[in-house]
Amino acid sequence: MTAAVRPKRLGMFGGSFDPPHVAHVALARAAVQQLGLDELRIFPTGQAWHKARDLSPAAHRLEMARMAFADVPHAVVDGRELQRTGPTYTVDTLRELQAQHPGAELLLVIGADQAEALQGWRESDEIKRLATISVAARARPVRAEGFFDASRLGAARLAPVELAPMPVSATEIRQRVASGQSISKLVPEAVAGYIAQHSLYRSA
Ligand code: ATP
């Protein structure tokens, strides 16, 4: 008798990563470990349709992502969304992954804030059909009530990622750099060096 072959477990983790920070890295590590991923593809996004701010140039974000996730087992930074002209849609990337990895189980890894917004994403029902949704908690401002309840998503397949809430955001990091404050505990060391070397985020 031949042993059943387990489908490849392929995670997708997208973000503007402007810059990538310690919570992104912790989330990637937790996802690989807890979800038993064979591979976690990390996608720096092109100009995301739902983010109004102009992002830093793609080449900087790609390079910083490569540095930030270099030590996360099974993580591969994938620059394909940066090459798309026009807005980036998660559903397009999931379809491409499905075509390239037939039979693989796709898992979409997202923080709770993004999960809450997922219903408004393009073809959200198709996203939930294509992928298991893996949500990690994200620290909330004190005024917000409670934590996001992933069961509200109505996804057929849910696989939570346990992550101690880490109150760090790329917005805060950009603001700290612009006002001359240290970011040493908030981003991986190599990323801090890259930001300094290329004088990124000097103006808010
Ligand atoms: P910005 O402040 O510029 O909006 P961000 O810190 O939210 O950026 P993104 O690149 O937009 O970072 O996030 C990519 C993914 O990482 C999203 O799914 C987001 O929910 C998740 N994420 C970001 N920060 C955290 C955090 N502190 N804890 C858990 N998940 C996070």
Side-chain angles (χ1 to χ4, degrees):
M1 207 172 76
T2 48
V5 180
R6 179 175 79 90
K8 177 173 180 165
R9 291 172 70 76
L10 177 58
M12 164 177 181
F13 180 38
S16 41
F17 302 128
D18 195 14
H21 53 63
V22 291
H24 294 139
V25 179
L27 175 45
R29 267 186 205 286
V32 169
Q33 204 175 35
Q34 292 173 31
L35 302 171
L37 299 181
D38 298 298
E39 190 174 309
L40 177 62
R41 293 229 145 217
I42 303 200
F43 297 93
T45 53
Q47 185 63 50
W49 59 273
H50 58 290
K51 290 217 175 182
R53 189 181 65 83
D54 274 344
L55 299 173
S56 300
H60 286 319
R61 293 186 293 114
L62 183 60
E63 194 52 36
M64 289 191 286
R66 289 202 174 116
M67 291 173 160
F69 296 105
D71 295 334
V72 178
H74 306 292
V76 180
V77 175
D78 186 325
R80 79 179 73 183
E81 291 191 355
L82 297 170
Q83 271 133 38
R84 282 188 204 144
T85 49
T88 301
Y89 296 108
T90 298
V91 70
D92 296 334
T93 307
L94 282 172
R95 284 201 181 104
E96 280 181 23
L97 290 177
Q98 189 189 42
Q100 286 165 355
H101 304 269
E105 180 176 356
L106 303 180
L107 298 97
L108 177 66
V109 176
I110 44 181
D113 57 318
Q114 296 288 298
E116 262 177 293
L118 180 68
Q119 302 293 24
W121 290 7
R122 179 165 165 140
E123 294 188 62
S124 65
D125 286 344
E126 181 68 358
I127 293 176
K128 288 183 268 179
R129 194 187 65 75
L130 287 167
T132 298
I133 310 296
S134 297
V135 181
R138 179 159 189 174
R140 284 174 169 272
V142 205
R143 60 191 153 70
E145 339 98 33
F147 280 98
F148 176 66
D149 174 7
S151 67
R152 293 210 318 258
L153 278 174
R157 286 156 288 136
L158 277 174
V161 177
E162 306 241 342
L163 181 73
M166 298 173 75
V168 45
S169 71
T171 303
E172 181 200 350
I173 291 162
R174 293 191 299 273
Q175 287 167 350
R176 290 182 75 94
V177 175
S179 61
Q181 291 172 275
S182 165
I183 54 165
S184 66
K185 295 280 188 301
L186 303 177
V187 295
E189 212 176 304
V191 172
Y194 188 95
I195 291 171
Q197 190 190 346
H198 294 270
S199 306
L200 302 181
Y201 313 122
R202 290 286 170 86
S203 56

